[in-house]
Amino acid sequence: METVKEKAQAKEKAGKGAFLPIFLCWLAYTAAYLGRYSYSSNITAIEDAFGVTHSQSGLVTTCFFFAYGIGQVVNGILCKHYNKRVIISFVLLVSSAINVTIFLGVPFEYLKYLWLLNGVAQSVLWSSLILVLSENLESGSLTKAVLAMSTTVTVGTFTVYGFSSLMSLIGNYTYTFLFAATVMTIASFCWVLLYKKAFNGVVKLEKANKSIQNYKKADLSLIVMIVMLCLLAVANNLVKDGLTTWVPSILKEQFGLPEALSILLSLVLPIVGIFGAVSNAALKKRISSFLTVGGIWYFISAVCLSFVIIFLKLDIWYLVLFFFGVVALSMYGTNNLITSMAPLYMRDRINSGLLAGIINGCCYVGSTVSSYGLGTIADNFGWIGVFILLLCVCIFAVIISLLGLLNKSANSKKS
């Protein structure tokens, strides 16, 4: 039998061994976010450069989200068969090449096709990265992985929007695409060069690995939970990506703020978003249900969106931005909960890559609607109409969470 000291040494060794694989996965996905939001972060400048409407510019990101969402489900099913060292490096290079192509200059009508291809390529990443982590980390390192991966969205979005703001000041947004391509190329080479060292030296738990490979047949309660998580996922990205994509336009059009300042102020959203992921760790210690935690985040968002509608009418931009920030915190927290925590912590019940792919695919159904749909609503009904819709979405999500809680309570009484 192992002594207490031997167990402590093994745990310390496992923790040290987890750093490199977690860092590599973090770097790959953070870099990918630069190549994903290089367009969205410059959507106002692109509209001005090409003379297009919100709905036309939003169609480009809709094409990305459409391809990405479908690809998430397909790759979630297939990711267990991939050579992770090759495929992740390859798709980062493909996304890099697409960004370079836009930097070199193409007519606007071709952007939607390029961004569609970008969505296909990047859809490989999330499910594959989550599966790699779930298969190579012991349970004690899962929280570290969840927290690290939750910062990819924040760091990636902050970096690309910050760089876009600087490029707006010098009057050439296209350098954002070159910057994103450079970072993704570096991440691709780091992945392929360090992969064997990272994933061959990790301490694995045989018992955990066996449970990962030998799933029991999914029971009804698991299926119901997955369906409800998927509904929360659709609502999540509709709200989250709606804010990420359109806040610069809202601040510029509604309040007359300069374009560079509008983009810079939008950086508040991903920065505060990271606190949502950190809060999840504390909430999950007290509340076991993923659906209940998600319901809390959506309730907070619904309240804040009500205030956004009020202060938009009163033209008080700093209060609008404050409530945007709280909504962002809630939505980033929800995203971390359903796309990272749920797949990793449920690895003994379902393949983590498959669950991550399904849930993230549903997230991008919401993203697809957020770009073209919200842009069209803004063109026809103004930004007030947009936020009334988002408020209704959050209320719907709260109802779904309550139904999930009632279903869990009913199952507990039967057992």
Side-chain angles (χ1 to χ4, degrees), residues 4 14 28 42 44 54 68 86 88 141 155 197 202 239 241 245-246 249 262 286 292 316 326 369 372 409:
V4 175
N42 290 288
T44 304
H54 294 319
Y68 189 90
V86 173
I88 290 176
S141 298
V155 175
K197 181 180 179 181
V202 177
V239 178
D241 283 341
T245 301
W246 295 115
S249 296
S262 297
R286 295 169 175 80
T292 303
I316 307 176
V326 180
V369 175
Y372 182 74
S409 177

Side-chain angles (χ1 to χ4, degrees), residues 238-239 305 309 369 373-374 377 383-395:
L238 201 162
V239 178
L305 285 169
I309 292 170
V369 175
L374 296 184
I377 291 172
W383 294 115
I384 295 294
V386 168
F387 289 108
I388 290 174
L389 174 63
L390 295 183
L391 173 61
C392 292
V393 169
C394 288
I395 293 172

Side-chain angles (χ1 to χ4, degrees), residues 334-392:
T334 305
N335 189 263
N336 168 256
L337 179 80
I338 59 182
T339 63
S340 298
M341 292 185 75
L344 285 174
Y345 283 103
M346 293 169 64
R347 65 180 182 175
D348 60 335
R349 300 183 69 187
I350 186 172
N351 179 291
S352 293
L354 174 61
L355 183 57
I358 291 172
I359 293 177
N360 216 23
C362 290
C363 281
Y364 281 87
V365 172
S367 298
T368 302
V369 175
S370 75
S371 296
Y372 182 74
L374 296 184
T376 301
I377 291 172
D379 286 336
N380 292 281
F381 302 102
W383 294 115
I384 295 294
V386 168
F387 289 108
I388 290 174
L389 174 63
L390 295 183
L391 173 61
C392 292

Side-chain angles (χ1 to χ4, degrees), residues 57-132:
S57 62
L59 181 60
V60 178
T61 45
T62 292
C63 288
F64 175 93
F65 293 142
F66 175 76
Y68 189 90
I70 294 176
Q72 280 292 303
V73 178
V74 173
N75 288 300
I77 296 169
L78 299 178
C79 64
K80 62 182 178 180
H81 302 295
Y82 295 159
N83 181 327
K84 307 300 190 299
R85 181 175 183 237
V86 173
I87 192 69
I88 290 176
S89 177
F90 174 71
V91 297
L92 285 171
L93 290 177
V94 170
S95 185
S96 176
I98 292 168
N99 275 266
V100 169
T101 301
I102 296 177
F103 165 72
L104 294 175
V106 293
F108 179 80
E109 56 265 28
Y110 292 110
L111 292 184
K112 58 180 176 289
Y113 302 114
L114 287 169
W115 231 230
L116 182 77
L117 181 59
N118 196 22
V120 172
Q122 290 216 8
S123 68
V124 173
L125 293 170
W126 185 249
S127 56
S128 295
L129 292 172
I130 290 295
L131 184 58
V132 164

Side-chain angles (χ1 to χ4, degrees), residues 39 43 46-47 52-61 108 246:
Y39 176 88
I43 196 165
I46 289 170
E47 287 176 346
V52 295
T53 64
H54 294 319
S55 57
Q56 288 174 313
S57 62
L59 181 60
V60 178
T61 45
F108 179 80
W246 295 115

Side-chain angles (χ1 to χ4, degrees), residues 207-358:
K207 188 180 289 187
N209 285 341
K210 286 180 181 177
S211 69
I212 292 170
Q213 299 300 328
N214 298 293
Y215 311 108
K216 294 178 181 179
K217 187 176 181 180
D219 55 45
L220 182 60
S221 64
L222 176 61
I223 294 172
V224 170
M225 174 178 280
I226 292 172
V227 170
M228 290 188 168
L229 286 173
C230 287
L231 290 173
L232 294 187
V234 174
N236 177 245
N237 269 35
L238 201 162
V239 178
K240 180 175 72 70
D241 283 341
L243 292 182
T244 301
T245 301
W246 295 115
V247 161
S249 296
I250 294 168
L251 295 177
K252 180 182 177 182
E253 294 175 16
Q254 193 76 17
F255 303 110
L257 299 180
E259 181 181 312
L261 180 60
S262 297
I263 297 174
L264 195 60
L265 289 174
S266 302
L267 295 178
V268 173
L269 305 185
I271 290 173
V272 299
I274 196 170
F275 294 104
V278 173
S279 300
N280 278 335
L283 285 170
K284 201 67 181 68
K285 290 179 180 178
R286 295 169 175 80
I287 305 171
S288 60
S289 171
F290 291 110
L291 292 173
T292 303
V293 177
I296 292 171
W297 286 131
Y298 276 109
F299 178 78
I300 293 171
S301 296
V303 172
C304 290
L305 285 169
S306 300
F307 283 112
V308 166
I309 292 170
I310 293 170
F311 290 118
L312 268 177
K313 292 179 179 179
L314 296 175
D315 281 345
I316 307 176
W317 70 266
Y318 49 89
L319 288 178
V320 169
L321 189 63
F322 170 78
F323 286 110
F324 277 164
V326 180
V327 174
L329 186 152
S330 302
M331 290 299 96
Y332 278 91
T334 305
N335 189 263
N336 168 256
L337 179 80
I338 59 182
T339 63
S340 298
M341 292 185 75
L344 285 174
Y345 283 103
M346 293 169 64
R347 65 180 182 175
D348 60 335
R349 300 183 69 187
I350 186 172
N351 179 291
S352 293
L354 174 61
L355 183 57
I358 291 172

